[in-house]
Amino acid sequence: MRGLPLRQLVDVYRAKFRAEIALQFAYRWALAIWLLGLLLQPIVYLVVWTTVARSQGGTVGGFSARDFAAYFTIFMVVNQLTFTWHYWEFEWRVRQGFFSPLLLRPIHPLHNDLAENVTFKLLTFTVVAPVAVLLLVTFNASLNPSPWQVLAFLPALVFAFALRFLLEWTLALAAFWLTRVTAINQAYYLAVVFLSGQMAPLELLPEAVQVIAAVLPFRWMVAFPVETVLGRLSPMEVAVGLAAQLIWIGLALGLLRFGWRAGVRRYSAVGA
Amino acid sequence: MSGTPEQAIQVRELRKTYVVPEREGGLAAAARSLVRRRTREVPAVAGISFDVAPGEIVGFLGPNGAGKTTTLKVLSGLLHPTSGEVTALGHVPWQRETAFLRRMTLIMGQRNQLAWDIPVVDSFDLNRAIYQIPAAEYRERVKELVELLELEELLRKPVRNLSLGERMKCEVAGSLLHRPDVLFLDEPTIGLDVTMQRRIRNFIAHYTERTGATTLLTSHYMADVEALCRRVLVIHHGQLLYDGDLAGLVTRFSPHKTIVIDLEPSGPAVDGRIEALVGSPDWLVSHAEDRLTLRVPRSETAAVTTRLLANLQVADVIVEEPPIDEVIDLVFAAGPADAQAKDAR
Amino acid sequence: MLWLSFRLGALNAIQYRADFMVQLFQSLIGLGIALGGIAVVFSQTDQLGGWRQEELIALIGVFMLVGGLIAVVIRPSMEQLMEGVRLGTLDFTLTKPADAQVLVSVKRVEIWRLVEVVLGAALIVLAMVQLGERVSLERVAAFAVTMLAGVAIVYSFLLILSTLAFWLVRLENILVIFHSMYEAGRWPVGIYPPWLRATLTFVVPVAFAITVPVEALVGRLEPATLVGSLLLAVAFLIASRWFWRLGLRHYTGASA
């Protein structure tokens, strides 16, 4: 599956985009419900930490209530833009044989999911963005990044998405070997909650956990772009972070290639 | 018969063995299996070889679990065989080269390839992009398919809202948009009503005739096979029992013919003489009123018929081959050992 | 019926033995994260909206216990139900000679999630020991009653949500909303702003399943809340039954 002309790819993505829009439109209510749930998450943590900050006379570990509001709102946006769901679908795909049609097509199945993902993000962002603004205003968030921080935020965000997509697609390949992967997926998801900064800014976690989050890819998948735009990192730290992201992306690509080949071999050995 | 490069499909000694976990019933046994898991090898295809020439339409016959679907999946690149050599259009299917995937299609009657939730036309458009079908050709093909299969009303509907037959029409159309040179059809008409079966069948015949596509078809419905395939492969327990035309299958596996004789009602009673005239009591299937039904060895057919015509007042005679379904049943009932014994004969 | 389902679930689960280890591992991770979350918060403060650490541990215990019960049988069965409506496989269930609501409610069991129930119970016991003399028999009884009522409310609520699948097609996501709302139950509802507190109490009744039982355990429960919780449970059970029947009447199979 090599040598795909770019023009064809663009064409496929456009076709997928149109189809996906039709699909999401058909399920606009489900989409709205889903978004509602998504938006609740940052509010919970925001409230918990604001309560803590208030009981401690205003700030916790250098975060004021207004800082928490900014952190969790931006986190929600970044998390929404970078998350993937494909690893939840693989078990079902493999078990029901829905992988077969994808394998019969002269195009890597990754493109199917990537196109679906990007389309979904573009659609939902139109709701998430105004809600984020609303949250920032309602909770009186303190967010005033300097121009270079905004500039650095963009590549950090794109890399974070690339890294998360590649890693989670690789994780999904486990479904080729194991019949039930839900447990693994949930374990992974919980690790993300904890180590990507979803529960609390990584700074507030014990030193050891911070190290783990930074050594593993988790910090680079979500927390890092958030920290960047919140102005909590020095230029040097941002540069190091971007480098860490690129290194992980390289590793993830290698893993994915290797895992995919082995996975398809396995799939076609045990019965598609 | 060594494979020549002109063959569209070549299969040599194809074997596919699945490893499945061994299971016993009951909680205790299941708990034991937590500790050690036993596995068992199940041969699905046990060494088959055949060639298919370009443009040939070949029917695959065999009972459930005979290895038909496994073979089709190997040929279309979904399955990696345990051993053996296979080429299709000069490619090794399971390497899944883009050049190969673009030229073939696999249609499975029990699986959907069109996206369940989006309108048919969007799935078509996606296929256009994936298979890089030039826009003008795409429009023309869709138009043609819409006319031939009467899809006009269906294109804008999501697949989940279509009936099984409508879905299958769209499925077939979508799978042929890229003009594949090789078609693998696994039970394409399963579950459809007779009219719709004929519809799909006629369409496939039309397509293959026009494009000269090579086709391998499995079906439970003999009508599909009789209408489409001049050549059939009979496979049972993973082994090839027969490779040849349908008529040959009947002569080979059914050593009997059926003779039905209607007697003149006014004629003399025949009761006493009948067994002697037929030749063997075993050959007489039924004798009711004025009708005799006989099942006679192929080689005796002429002699028996002549004898009866000479000695009885006959109103009508029919000599017929047994129905193809019956023959197929006979083949499967016989099993590989018997079939091979017949081969030797 | 539930037992049969359990037995089947057990048989199924044992065949996927790796899952047991992963589930255990995962539940421990979940527990670690929950306790970790509390530890992180209480490393910065000594009370959260008036709740002390051991009270929050009891809350996490109930959160896991009830969450485990949902995960063992309610949620998998509800997911199966919605898939059944979407794909038309519900037909097979409806033709069985038993109450369809009962059948769909115990249709699928994910046995390993019992681990969560056990861990949750253990955590509650641990918290009770920590709470010491503040726990009385009376309070434990009130706790048991309110928790039962809470589970009944959550079950009815999930059944109502799932029944919506008869009208709206792709609704797997609707359980996601409950899931994220349920996550909010990790913390006492009292800390939330009024609109969210009201939502968690009356719209997605997480409060009755988690906060209220824990309040009963630590002796903060007002008698009125206890009675209210019971009445609400009965009302929810009746409403969900009625809605389920309404939905069934609307069921037409997948290809409709």
Side-chain angles (χ1 to χ4, degrees), chain B residues 145-198:
Chain B
L145 289 165
V146 163
E147 275 167 25
L148 282 171
L149 286 165
E150 292 177 24
L151 303 177
E152 192 59 54
E153 303 287 304
L154 313 179
L155 282 183
R156 297 264 144 217
K157 289 187 189 169
V159 174
R160 74 184 137 77
N161 287 352
L162 302 181
S163 72
L164 183 62
E166 293 172 335
R167 203 184 301 156
M168 209 54 221
K169 286 200 294 186
C170 295
E171 197 78 35
V172 170
S175 306
L176 298 180
L177 277 175
H178 61 289
R179 282 282 147 93
D181 296 320
V182 173
L183 273 53
F184 300 112
L185 310 174
D186 191 15
E187 305 282 358
T189 56
I190 197 158
L192 303 181
D193 64 49
V194 180
T195 323
M196 194 56 86
Q197 280 181 25
R198 192 161 46 230

Coordinates of all heavy atoms in Angstrom, one line a residue, chain B residues 145-198:
Chain B
L145 N -25.7 1.9 -14.5 CA -26.1 1.0 -13.4 C -27.4 1.4 -12.9 O -28.2 0.5 -12.6 CB -25.0 1.1 -12.2 CG -23.7 0.5 -12.5 CD1 -22.6 0.9 -11.5 CD2 -23.8 -1.1 -12.6
V146 N -27.7 2.7 -12.8 CA -29.0 3.1 -12.3 C -30.1 2.6 -13.2 O -31.1 2.1 -12.8 CB -29.0 4.7 -12.2 CG1 -30.4 5.2 -12.1 CG2 -28.2 5.1 -11.0
E147 N -29.8 2.7 -14.5 CA -30.8 2.2 -15.5 C -31.0 0.7 -15.4 O -32.1 0.2 -15.3 CB -30.4 2.6 -16.9 CG -30.9 4.0 -17.3 CD -30.2 4.5 -18.5 OE1 -29.8 3.6 -19.3 OE2 -30.1 5.7 -18.7
L148 N -29.9 0.0 -15.4 CA -30.0 -1.5 -15.4 C -30.6 -2.1 -14.2 O -31.3 -3.0 -14.2 CB -28.5 -2.1 -15.6 CG -28.0 -2.0 -17.1 CD1 -26.5 -2.4 -17.1 CD2 -28.8 -2.9 -18.0
L149 N -30.2 -1.5 -13.1 CA -30.7 -2.1 -11.8 C -31.9 -1.3 -11.2 O -32.3 -1.6 -10.1 CB -29.5 -2.1 -10.8 CG -28.5 -3.2 -11.1 CD1 -27.2 -3.0 -10.3 CD2 -29.0 -4.6 -10.7
E150 N -32.3 -0.2 -11.9 CA -33.4 0.6 -11.4 C -33.0 1.1 -10.0 O -33.7 0.8 -9.0 CB -34.7 -0.1 -11.4 CG -35.2 -0.4 -12.8 CD -36.4 -1.2 -12.8 OE1 -37.2 -1.2 -11.8 OE2 -36.7 -1.9 -13.8
L151 N -32.0 1.9 -9.9 CA -31.5 2.4 -8.6 C -32.0 3.8 -8.3 O -31.8 4.3 -7.2 CB -30.0 2.4 -8.5 CG -29.3 1.0 -8.7 CD1 -27.8 1.2 -8.7 CD2 -29.8 0.0 -7.7
E152 N -32.6 4.4 -9.3 CA -32.9 5.9 -9.2 C -33.4 6.3 -7.8 O -33.0 7.2 -7.2 CB -33.9 6.2 -10.3 CG -34.1 7.7 -10.5 CD -32.9 8.4 -10.9 OE1 -32.2 8.0 -11.9 OE2 -32.5 9.4 -10.3
E153 N -34.4 5.5 -7.4 CA -35.1 5.9 -6.1 C -34.2 5.7 -4.9 O -34.5 6.2 -3.8 CB -36.4 5.1 -6.0 CG -37.3 5.2 -7.1 CD -38.0 6.5 -7.1 OE1 -38.6 6.9 -6.1 OE2 -37.9 7.3 -8.1
L154 N -33.2 4.8 -5.1 CA -32.5 4.3 -3.9 C -31.3 5.2 -3.6 O -30.8 5.2 -2.4 CB -32.0 2.9 -4.1 CG -33.1 1.9 -4.6 CD1 -32.5 0.5 -4.8 CD2 -34.3 1.9 -3.7
L155 N -30.8 5.9 -4.6 CA -29.5 6.5 -4.4 C -29.4 7.5 -3.3 O -28.3 7.6 -2.6 CB -29.1 7.3 -5.7 CG -28.6 6.4 -6.9 CD1 -28.2 7.3 -8.1 CD2 -27.4 5.6 -6.4
R156 N -30.5 8.2 -3.0 CA -30.4 9.2 -2.0 C -30.7 8.7 -0.6 O -30.7 9.4 0.4 CB -31.4 10.3 -2.3 CG -31.1 11.1 -3.6 CD -30.3 12.3 -3.3 NE -29.4 12.6 -4.3 CZ -28.1 13.1 -4.2 NH1 -27.7 13.4 -2.9 NH2 -27.3 13.2 -5.2
K157 N -31.1 7.4 -0.5 CA -31.5 6.9 0.8 C -30.3 6.3 1.5 O -29.4 5.7 0.9 CB -32.5 5.7 0.6 CG -33.9 6.2 0.2 CD -34.8 5.0 0.2 CE -36.1 5.3 -0.4 NZ -36.9 4.1 -0.6
P158 N -30.3 6.4 2.9 CA -29.2 5.7 3.6 C -29.4 4.2 3.5 O -30.6 3.7 3.4 CB -29.4 6.1 5.0 CG -30.5 7.0 5.1 CD -31.1 7.1 3.7
V159 N -28.3 3.4 3.5 CA -28.4 2.0 3.2 C -29.3 1.3 4.2 O -30.0 0.4 3.9 CB -27.0 1.4 3.3 CG1 -27.0 -0.1 3.2 CG2 -26.1 1.9 2.2
R160 N -29.3 1.8 5.5 CA -30.1 1.1 6.5 C -31.6 1.1 6.2 O -32.3 0.3 6.8 CB -29.8 1.6 7.9 CG -30.4 3.0 8.2 CD -30.0 3.5 9.5 NE -29.6 4.9 9.4 CZ -30.5 5.9 9.3 NH1 -31.8 5.6 9.3 NH2 -30.1 7.2 9.2
N161 N -32.0 2.1 5.4 CA -33.4 2.2 5.1 C -33.8 1.3 3.9 O -35.0 1.4 3.4 CB -33.8 3.6 4.8 CG -33.8 4.4 6.1 OD1 -33.7 3.9 7.2 ND2 -34.0 5.7 6.0
L162 N -32.9 0.6 3.3 CA -33.2 -0.2 2.1 C -33.6 -1.6 2.5 O -33.2 -2.1 3.5 CB -32.0 -0.3 1.2 CG -31.4 1.0 0.7 CD1 -30.2 0.8 -0.2 CD2 -32.4 1.9 0.0
S163 N -34.4 -2.2 1.7 CA -34.7 -3.6 1.9 C -33.5 -4.5 1.5 O -32.6 -4.0 0.8 CB -35.9 -4.1 1.1 OG -35.6 -4.1 -0.3
L164 N -33.5 -5.7 1.9 CA -32.4 -6.6 1.6 C -32.1 -6.6 0.1 O -30.9 -6.5 -0.4 CB -32.7 -8.0 2.1 CG -31.5 -9.0 1.9 CD1 -30.3 -8.5 2.7 CD2 -31.9 -10.4 2.3
G165 N -33.1 -6.7 -0.7 CA -32.9 -6.8 -2.2 C -32.4 -5.5 -2.7 O -31.4 -5.5 -3.5
E166 N -32.9 -4.4 -2.3 CA -32.5 -3.1 -2.7 C -31.0 -2.9 -2.3 O -30.2 -2.4 -3.1 CB -33.3 -2.0 -2.1 CG -34.7 -2.0 -2.6 CD -35.6 -1.0 -1.8 OE1 -35.3 -0.7 -0.7 OE2 -36.6 -0.6 -2.4
R167 N -30.7 -3.3 -1.1 CA -29.4 -3.2 -0.6 C -28.4 -3.9 -1.5 O -27.3 -3.5 -1.8 CB -29.3 -3.7 0.8 CG -28.2 -3.1 1.7 CD -28.2 -3.8 3.0 NE -29.4 -3.6 3.8 CZ -29.8 -4.4 4.7 NH1 -29.1 -5.5 5.1 NH2 -31.0 -4.2 5.4
M168 N -28.8 -5.2 -1.8 CA -27.9 -6.0 -2.6 C -27.7 -5.4 -4.0 O -26.6 -5.5 -4.5 CB -28.5 -7.4 -2.7 CG -27.5 -8.5 -2.9 SD -26.3 -8.4 -1.6 CE -24.8 -8.8 -2.6
K169 N -28.7 -4.8 -4.6 CA -28.6 -4.2 -5.9 C -27.5 -3.1 -5.8 O -26.6 -3.0 -6.6 CB -29.9 -3.6 -6.4 CG -30.9 -4.6 -6.8 CD -31.9 -4.0 -7.8 CE -32.8 -3.0 -7.0 NZ -33.9 -2.6 -7.9
C170 N -27.6 -2.3 -4.7 CA -26.7 -1.2 -4.5 C -25.3 -1.7 -4.3 O -24.3 -1.2 -4.7 CB -27.1 -0.3 -3.4 SG -28.7 0.6 -3.7
E171 N -25.2 -2.8 -3.5 CA -24.0 -3.4 -3.1 C -23.2 -3.8 -4.4 O -22.1 -3.6 -4.6 CB -24.3 -4.6 -2.2 CG -23.2 -5.1 -1.4 CD -22.8 -4.3 -0.2 OE1 -23.7 -3.7 0.4 OE2 -21.7 -4.2 0.1
V172 N -24.0 -4.5 -5.3 CA -23.4 -5.0 -6.5 C -23.0 -3.8 -7.4 O -21.8 -3.8 -7.9 CB -24.4 -5.9 -7.3 CG1 -23.9 -6.2 -8.7 CG2 -24.7 -7.2 -6.5
A173 N -23.8 -2.8 -7.5 CA -23.5 -1.7 -8.3 C -22.2 -1.0 -7.8 O -21.3 -0.7 -8.5 CB -24.6 -0.7 -8.3
G174 N -22.2 -0.8 -6.5 CA -21.0 -0.1 -5.9 C -19.7 -0.9 -6.1 O -18.7 -0.3 -6.2
S175 N -19.8 -2.2 -6.0 CA -18.7 -3.1 -6.2 C -18.2 -3.2 -7.6 O -17.1 -3.7 -7.8 CB -18.9 -4.5 -5.7 OG -19.4 -4.4 -4.4
L176 N -19.0 -2.7 -8.5 CA -18.6 -2.9 -9.9 C -18.2 -1.5 -10.6 O -17.9 -1.5 -11.8 CB -19.7 -3.6 -10.7 CG -20.0 -5.0 -10.3 CD1 -21.1 -5.6 -11.1 CD2 -18.7 -5.9 -10.4
L177 N -18.4 -0.5 -9.8 CA -18.1 0.9 -10.3 C -16.7 1.0 -11.0 O -16.5 1.7 -12.0 CB -18.2 1.9 -9.2 CG -19.6 2.4 -8.9 CD1 -19.6 3.3 -7.7 CD2 -20.2 3.1 -10.1
H178 N -15.8 0.3 -10.4 CA -14.4 0.5 -10.9 C -14.1 -0.6 -12.0 O -12.9 -0.8 -12.3 CB -13.4 0.4 -9.7 CG -13.4 -0.9 -8.9 ND1 -14.5 -1.3 -8.1 CD2 -12.5 -1.9 -8.9 CE1 -14.2 -2.5 -7.6 NE2 -13.0 -2.9 -8.0
R179 N -15.1 -1.2 -12.5 CA -14.9 -2.1 -13.6 C -13.9 -3.2 -13.3 O -12.9 -3.3 -14.1 CB -14.4 -1.4 -14.9 CG -15.5 -0.7 -15.6 CD -16.3 -1.6 -16.5 NE -17.7 -1.2 -16.5 CZ -18.2 -0.4 -17.5 NH1 -17.5 -0.1 -18.5 NH2 -19.5 -0.1 -17.5
P180 N -14.1 -4.0 -12.3 CA -13.1 -5.0 -12.0 C -13.0 -6.1 -13.1 O -13.9 -6.3 -13.7 CB -13.6 -5.6 -10.7 CG -15.0 -5.3 -10.7 CD -15.2 -4.0 -11.4
D181 N -11.8 -6.6 -13.2 CA -11.5 -7.7 -14.2 C -11.8 -9.1 -13.6 O -12.0 -10.0 -14.3 CB -10.1 -7.6 -14.7 CG -9.8 -6.4 -15.4 OD1 -10.7 -5.9 -16.2 OD2 -8.7 -5.8 -15.2
V182 N -11.8 -9.1 -12.2 CA -12.1 -10.4 -11.6 C -13.2 -10.1 -10.5 O -13.1 -9.2 -9.8 CB -10.8 -10.9 -10.9 CG1 -11.2 -12.2 -10.1 CG2 -9.8 -11.3 -11.9
L183 N -14.2 -11.0 -10.5 CA -15.3 -10.9 -9.6 C -15.3 -12.1 -8.7 O -15.3 -13.2 -9.2 CB -16.6 -10.8 -10.3 CG -17.2 -9.5 -10.8 CD1 -16.2 -8.8 -11.7 CD2 -18.5 -9.8 -11.6
F184 N -15.3 -11.9 -7.4 CA -15.5 -13.0 -6.5 C -16.9 -12.8 -5.8 O -17.1 -11.8 -5.1 CB -14.4 -13.1 -5.4 CG -13.0 -13.3 -6.0 CD1 -12.1 -12.2 -5.9 CD2 -12.7 -14.4 -6.6 CE1 -10.8 -12.4 -6.5 CE2 -11.4 -14.6 -7.2 CZ -10.5 -13.6 -7.1
L185 N -17.8 -13.7 -6.1 CA -19.2 -13.5 -5.6 C -19.5 -14.6 -4.6 O -19.6 -15.8 -5.0 CB -20.2 -13.5 -6.7 CG -19.8 -12.6 -7.9 CD1 -20.8 -12.8 -9.1 CD2 -19.8 -11.2 -7.5
D186 N -19.6 -14.2 -3.3 CA -19.9 -15.2 -2.3 C -21.4 -15.1 -2.0 O -21.8 -14.2 -1.3 CB -19.0 -15.0 -1.1 CG -19.1 -16.2 -0.1 OD1 -19.6 -17.2 -0.5 OD2 -18.6 -16.0 1.0
E187 N -22.2 -16.1 -2.4 CA -23.6 -16.1 -2.1 C -24.3 -14.7 -2.4 O -24.9 -14.1 -1.5 CB -23.9 -16.4 -0.6 CG -23.3 -17.7 -0.2 CD -24.1 -18.9 -0.6 OE1 -25.1 -18.7 -1.2 OE2 -23.6 -20.0 -0.4
P188 N -24.1 -14.2 -3.6 CA -24.6 -12.9 -3.9 C -26.2 -12.7 -3.8 O -26.7 -11.7 -3.7 CB -24.1 -12.6 -5.3 CG -24.0 -13.9 -5.9 CD -23.6 -14.8 -4.8
T189 N -26.8 -13.9 -3.9 CA -28.3 -13.8 -4.0 C -29.0 -14.3 -2.7 O -30.2 -14.5 -2.7 CB -28.9 -14.5 -5.2 OG1 -28.4 -15.9 -5.1 CG2 -28.4 -13.9 -6.5
I190 N -28.2 -14.6 -1.7 CA -28.7 -15.3 -0.5 C -29.8 -14.4 0.1 O -29.7 -13.2 0.3 CB -27.6 -15.6 0.5 CG1 -28.1 -16.7 1.5 CG2 -27.1 -14.4 1.2 CD1 -27.0 -17.4 2.1
G191 N -30.9 -15.1 0.5 CA -32.0 -14.5 1.2 C -32.9 -13.6 0.3 O -33.8 -13.0 0.8
L192 N -32.6 -13.5 -1.0 CA -33.4 -12.7 -1.8 C -34.6 -13.4 -2.4 O -34.5 -14.7 -2.5 CB -32.6 -12.1 -3.0 CG -31.3 -11.4 -2.6 CD1 -30.7 -10.9 -3.9 CD2 -31.7 -10.2 -1.7
D193 N -35.7 -12.7 -2.7 CA -36.8 -13.5 -3.3 C -36.4 -13.8 -4.8 O -35.5 -13.3 -5.3 CB -38.1 -12.6 -3.2 CG -38.0 -11.4 -4.0 OD1 -37.6 -11.4 -5.2 OD2 -38.4 -10.3 -3.5
V194 N -37.2 -14.7 -5.3 CA -36.9 -15.3 -6.6 C -36.7 -14.2 -7.7 O -35.8 -14.3 -8.5 CB -37.9 -16.3 -7.0 CG1 -37.6 -16.9 -8.4 CG2 -38.1 -17.4 -6.0
T195 N -37.6 -13.2 -7.7 CA -37.5 -12.2 -8.7 C -36.2 -11.4 -8.6 O -35.5 -11.2 -9.6 CB -38.6 -11.2 -8.6 OG1 -39.8 -11.9 -8.2 CG2 -38.9 -10.4 -9.8
M196 N -35.9 -11.1 -7.4 CA -34.6 -10.3 -7.1 C -33.4 -11.2 -7.5 O -32.4 -10.7 -8.0 CB -34.6 -9.8 -5.7 CG -33.6 -8.8 -5.4 SD -33.8 -7.3 -6.5 CE -35.0 -6.4 -5.6
Q197 N -33.5 -12.5 -7.1 CA -32.4 -13.3 -7.5 C -32.1 -13.3 -9.0 O -31.0 -13.2 -9.4 CB -32.7 -14.8 -7.1 CG -32.5 -15.1 -5.6 CD -32.8 -16.6 -5.3 OE1 -32.8 -17.4 -6.2 NE2 -33.2 -16.8 -4.1
R198 N -33.2 -13.4 -9.7 CA -33.1 -13.4 -11.2 C -32.5 -12.1 -11.7 O -31.6 -12.0 -12.5 CB -34.4 -13.7 -11.8 CG -34.3 -14.0 -13.3 CD -35.5 -14.7 -13.8 NE -36.7 -14.0 -13.4 CZ -37.8 -14.7 -12.8 NH1 -37.7 -16.0 -12.7 NH2 -38.8 -14.0 -12.5

